[in-house]
Amino acid sequence: MRIVYIIIFCALLSTILLWLGRFGKLRKRYAAGAALASILLASTLLLLAVLPGNSFYGPVLTHGSAAKKQIALTFDDGPYPPYTQQLLKVLAEKQVHATFFMVGENAAKHPEIVRAVQAAGHEIALHAGKHQDLLKLDASELAANIASGKSTLEGLTGRKLRYMRPPHGFKDWQVMQALEGAGLQAVNWSVIPRDWTNPGVQRIVDRVCFAAEPGAIVLLHDGDSPKNAAPREQTVAAVGLIIDQLREEKYEFVTVSEMEK
Ligand SMILES: [Zn+2]
């Protein structure tokens, strides 16, 4: 069942109820109460679909064990030259492995970057075939989006993908079912510094370090899908500082699959 249909149904239902109350077919108080309940149901389902930290529609990995002082840096929307390569340089200098949630069509345009990410020992995961809001796609478009991204990345890396982060972290029952059908586990995050808004290097660093806790999965961006227009210098500059600061606090940097061990 798609959440959009439920929301449309609830909106129609509440309108009908209010009309029935207005024209005396239902007691106004009951009509208003039922309409409110219907709107609340739709709003709750929508919030659960767009908020990253819940598993209401199916299991979503948002953090690792709080018992280990580990942190996973994750990068969405790439590959995106020159920022992905710049980031690889920073991560190599700091000897940190991260997880890259790549967009299939970007990967197809920049296969050499995908190979460089893999050769550097980072984990490659799927973000989407195309960077679309999966909640808005019908079942066949959804399956095609995931299948195209998966086959592009598996073709380039020669390895089976394990994880997918749906664009914006949005999911409903159908998205979760499609991921399961493709053999992929959903991964969202627990720390979101909103680096894609380019708020300033120090602000990105502060937001991550303030929210960091054992088992945190940090959402950052080496890309800017689907527009591929915004710069990512701030994220690249912030990453080295984040690593230095959190290392001082004795954090160990791991990939998502290392965090799951
Ligand atoms: Zn994205």
Side-chain angles (χ1 to χ4, degrees):
M1 175 65 83
R2 297 242 71 176
I3 187 169
V4 276
Y5 299 144
I6 298 177
I7 289 167
I8 292 167
F9 174 77
C10 288
L12 285 173
L13 181 64
S14 50
T15 310
I16 292 166
L17 286 164
L18 290 173
W19 273 98
L20 290 174
R22 170 97 170 71
F23 291 105
K25 304 282 182 200
L26 259 181
R27 276 193 180 181
K28 265 191 184 168
R29 203 156 30 121
Y30 293 145
L36 182 64
S38 168
I39 290 166
L40 279 177
L41 172 68
S43 315
T44 306
L45 288 174
L46 183 62
L47 273 178
L48 289 165
V50 300
L51 292 177
N54 70 85
S55 290
F56 178 79
Y57 295 101
V60 180
L61 182 69
T62 56
H63 54 81
S65 163
K68 296 181 200 164
K69 208 159 182 189
Q70 293 181 328
I71 203 154
L73 297 180
T74 68
F75 297 95
D76 283 15
D77 292 359
Y80 184 45
Y83 307 105
T84 307
Q85 296 100 311
Q86 291 172 1
L87 191 57
L88 288 180
K89 224 170 148 186
V90 174
L91 293 170
E93 276 165 17
K94 302 289 178 189
Q95 296 186 303
V96 162
H97 286 150
T99 306
F100 288 77
F101 288 88
M102 294 184 176
V103 176
E105 63 178 9
N106 294 353
K109 270 187 236 162
H110 306 290
E112 71 292 350
I113 305 183
V114 179
R115 291 194 192 100
V117 171
Q118 183 181 28
H122 302 292
E123 179 156 34
I124 292 178
L126 180 61
H127 194 28
K130 279 185 183 182
H131 201 283
Q132 295 171 303
D133 176 354
L134 302 185
L135 297 180
K136 293 181 182 162
L137 304 184
D138 67 30
S140 62
E141 290 169 335
L142 175 57
N145 184 312
I146 295 174
S148 74
K150 189 170 180 265
S151 81
T152 302
L153 288 177
E154 288 184 346
L156 287 170
T157 60
R159 296 192 63 173
K160 227 172 144 38
L161 292 185
R162 191 164 161 192
Y163 302 112
M164 173 166 168
R165 173 176 289 153
H168 317 291
F170 294 172
K171 72 280 174 204
D172 65 1
W173 288 291
Q174 199 159 326
V175 170
M176 295 305 293
Q177 211 173 41
L179 259 74
E180 198 187 332
L184 296 166
Q185 184 182 340
V187 178
N188 273 346
W189 58 85
S190 59
V191 176
I192 178 169
R194 298 175 58 80
D195 65 316
W196 71 89
T197 62
N198 287 323
V201 175
Q202 197 55 46
R203 195 162 283 180
I204 298 171
V205 175
D206 291 344
R207 286 174 180 173
V208 172
C209 294
F210 178 75
E213 56 187 2
I217 296 178
V218 183
L219 168 65
L220 290 158
H221 294 77
D222 63 319
D224 176 45
S225 290
K227 290 183 184 162
N228 294 316
R232 288 289 166 255
E233 277 127 3
Q234 291 189 10
T235 301
V236 172
V239 164
L241 299 170
I242 290 168
I243 293 169
D244 290 346
Q245 194 166 324
L246 292 180
R247 266 195 178 139
E248 269 182 34
E249 296 175 30
K250 310 285 179 224
Y251 276 99
E252 178 197 3
F253 289 88
V254 293
T255 62
V256 171
S257 55
E258 284 167 347
M259 186 172 257
E260 275 216 291
K261 275 179 196 163

